[in-house]
Amino acid sequence: MDIPELKNSFHEYFPDTPGDPEIFFAPGRINLIGEHIDYNGGKVLPCTISRGIYACVLFRDDRMINIHSLDQDHRAHIPLDRKITYDQALGWANYPMGVIDRLIRDNNSPKGFDALITSDLPEGSGLSSSAALEVLCAYCAMYPKISSDKDRVYMAQACQQAENTFVHVNCGIMDQACIALGKKDHAISLDTHTLEYRYIPVSLGQAHLVIMNSMHARKLSGSAYNTRRIECEEALNHIKTHRDIQTLCEAKCDDLVYIPDKTLKKRARHAITEQQRVYSSIEMLKRNDLAGFGHLLNASHLSLKEDFEVTGEYLDALVDEAIKVDGCLGARMTGAGFGGCAIALVQKEAIEGFKAEVTKGYREKTCKTPEFYVCTIPDGVCRLEI
């Protein structure tokens, strides 16, 4: 990111705001493993990525927040002394508006500021651009009061509540929690129901995480997501007639005999085995067993394809081409499915050849050209020392 150029642009958009602006950053996120189990009582393993949203910010003395995006239309003008209401015509601006509304309702006295934002997260890729925007806005509005992990947990909860009740998107808390709590070179083992978490070191050595963008919009993910939630609830109800459990991820594979429907049994099998893959991945990462972790990535994708049926032809084509390449230790879809992104663990010396070979095979299968982002794991939302 060209920070001097961003600062110059800030003064073009806010010519009446003097001073040297500060730079804030909220990363995007991927889920390393543990897909579609956050709503089944599971523990997930997300991490931040070194792409995200930057904000050039100058704080104000009055009760006003103004946010302008270099990348999209609309501005967010948020008065802190008047009622804030959802306006569909304002598009993305509703996300920061909802966050500020939540902070005010919680008596957290947000600060006024002017902000120019820009992002290097590809739109519609499933890398949590909306959650990054929410957390970034909350962090700026509360800065510098955020001084503890407890404050960051609150910030994640406030952003999730804003998205649920103001924007009316029924998201979970994984994205906001990862972006708020992220730690450099660590994943987060996160219980999405209790918000208990611990950091898991991710030392990749001579390998890199490569995000592969299918360049295919996730058109089916919303309806399929709702259907899978219902199916998982039905599967759990069958098991609960025989066992005293509260969530599907508490079940064992032996419990699948209690589910008479073939489809429901497949959904439950994914949730149960995916939770075990999360636990195994944590152990593999602790031992720096990247080959073992790569095998678990492959197994996760296969389960998402055959048992949960949320991958789709584009993500399957990406992963199939990735795992053919020498130097790729494993790959799988990440996110809701049916488009968006997949991740691969690739040896550093193989990355350029990996990109070329995957591009060639993927084009032949889909007539689309994928994009690749080689990422590291940074800290969560923060003020950058520039």
Side-chain angles (χ1 to χ4, degrees), residues 86 91 94-96 98-99 134 161-170:
Y86 179 86
N94 284 288
Y95 288 91
V99 169
E134 292 163 0
Q161 290 165 4
E163 190 160 346
N164 290 169
T165 62
F166 192 92
V167 187
H168 301 294
V169 174
N170 188 29

Side-chain angles (χ1 to χ4, degrees), residues 48-60:
T48 54
I49 60 172
S50 50
R51 281 177 170 248
I53 302 179
Y54 295 81
C56 193
V57 176
L58 270 175
F59 292 99
R60 302 170 60 103

Side-chain angles (χ1 to χ4, degrees), residues 170-381:
N170 188 29
C171 66
I173 200 168
M174 178 181 71
D175 295 355
Q176 292 87 349
C178 180
I179 294 164
L181 291 161
K183 183 177 179 181
K184 181 178 172 59
D185 296 330
H186 287 73
I188 302 176
S189 172
L190 174 70
D191 187 317
T192 53
H193 289 264
T194 67
L195 278 188
E196 293 179 356
Y197 65 93
R198 60 192 175 107
Y199 293 107
I200 307 299
V202 179
S203 179
L204 299 181
Q206 294 303 306
H208 266 312
L209 284 171
V210 179
I211 299 172
M212 306 179 290
N213 190 343
S214 70
M215 308 304 289
H216 178 74
R218 298 167 294 148
K219 295 178 181 178
L220 299 177
S221 60
S223 59
Y225 175 85
N226 292 332
T227 300
R228 294 302 181 274
R229 287 195 72 146
I230 293 169
E231 291 169 338
C232 288
E233 289 168 5
E234 292 177 358
L236 173 62
N237 287 334
H238 283 296
I239 296 175
K240 286 174 71 172
T241 61
H242 300 274
R243 287 200 57 215
D244 182 19
I245 61 172
Q246 300 302 312
T247 68
L248 195 53
C249 284
E250 295 176 60
K252 308 296 182 185
C253 283
D254 290 347
D255 298 327
L256 294 174
V257 297
Y258 303 130
I259 304 174
D261 181 85
K262 181 179 178 181
T263 297
L264 297 184
K265 186 174 292 190
K266 289 166 63 178
R267 306 299 185 247
R269 182 165 56 222
H270 168 72
I272 294 167
T273 58
E274 184 77 348
Q275 183 63 92
Q276 290 305 311
R277 283 186 286 272
V278 171
Y279 295 145
S280 297
S281 293
I282 290 171
E283 294 307 311
M284 295 290 184
L285 289 171
K286 285 181 178 178
R287 299 200 302 263
N288 292 327
D289 183 353
L290 298 186
F293 178 53
H295 287 308
L296 292 169
L297 296 179
N298 294 342
S300 174
H301 187 85
L302 187 63
S303 180
L304 288 158
K305 175 183 178 180
E306 296 186 349
D307 281 344
F308 223 64
E309 298 179 280
V310 292
T311 56
E313 63 172 307
Y314 294 93
L315 290 172
D316 285 340
L318 262 186
V319 171
D320 288 347
E321 293 305 313
I323 61 178
K324 291 178 185 177
V325 180
D326 289 340
C328 177
L329 304 177
R332 72 172 198 87
M333 62 155 272
T334 186
F338 296 106
C341 290
I343 58 173
L345 187 61
V346 185
Q347 297 286 1
K348 289 180 181 179
E349 69 274 8
I351 286 177
E352 292 309 312
F354 172 85
K355 292 178 184 179
E357 291 185 48
V358 172
T359 297
K360 181 177 182 294
Y362 186 68
R363 274 183 187 155
E364 290 173 353
K365 288 182 176 179
T366 68
C367 298
K368 289 181 178 289
T369 300
E371 289 186 351
F372 301 90
Y373 321 118
V374 180
C375 289
T376 55
I377 303 174
D379 287 327
V381 64

Side-chain angles (χ1 to χ4, degrees), residues 26-51:
R29 73 95 192 98
I30 55 173
N31 194 16
L32 289 176
I33 202 162
E35 217 66 75
H36 284 280
I37 62 173
D38 54 329
Y39 52 84
N40 286 308
K43 293 182 179 178
V44 293
L45 195 66
C47 70
T48 54
I49 60 172
S50 50
R51 281 177 170 248

